[in-house]
Amino acid sequence: MTRPLLLILLGCCVAWLLSVAVVTELVGWLFGWPAVFGGLRVGTVALYWPGQFLTWRDLLAPGHRWMVTVAVLVCTATALALAVRVGLALRGVRSPRFGAGRWADGADVRRSGLL
């Protein structure tokens, strides 16, 4: 593997882990950081391990379990988006894009006769 590809893979793994950590803290915040969820207590707030919300489903009332399901879906969607990003990097083909991906380089400008 090339160095840029390894950096992309590492960056995607870090981004996914960070998103799971944020989702875990958000779910804890929605329930007011109850002591039954565990975690490291810092004042009135608790810090949780990324993905710890997966163990909380059975602790919740049936009417609130949908929040854990949504958190799992958000983490899955993030993983899929990052997998697509890695897949595009592995292909190495730049598809036509808007913005910077479509800007002309020096050869294109000379060919157009603008310079």
Side-chain angles (χ1 to χ4, degrees), residues 51-103:
Q52 192 173 348
F53 66 88
L54 295 170
T55 63
W56 301 339
R57 186 175 179 82
D58 293 332
L59 300 174
L60 299 174
H64 294 267
R65 292 182 182 161
W66 66 271
M67 291 183 196
V68 174
T69 303
V70 169
V72 169
L73 291 174
V74 167
C75 292
T76 303
T78 304
L80 287 174
L82 292 170
V84 167
R85 170 69 176 102
V86 169
L88 290 174
L90 283 173
R91 260 184 36 194
V93 178
R94 292 186 58 122
S95 60
R97 295 187 189 126
F98 296 102
R102 297 288 296 168
W103 289 353

Side-chain angles (χ1 to χ4, degrees), residues 13 44 82:
C13 288
T44 59
L82 292 170

Side-chain angles (χ1 to χ4, degrees), residues 11-22 50 74-80 82:
C12 287
C13 288
V14 168
W16 184 74
L17 190 62
L18 183 64
S19 70
V20 173
V22 168
V74 167
C75 292
T76 303
T78 304
L80 287 174
L82 292 170

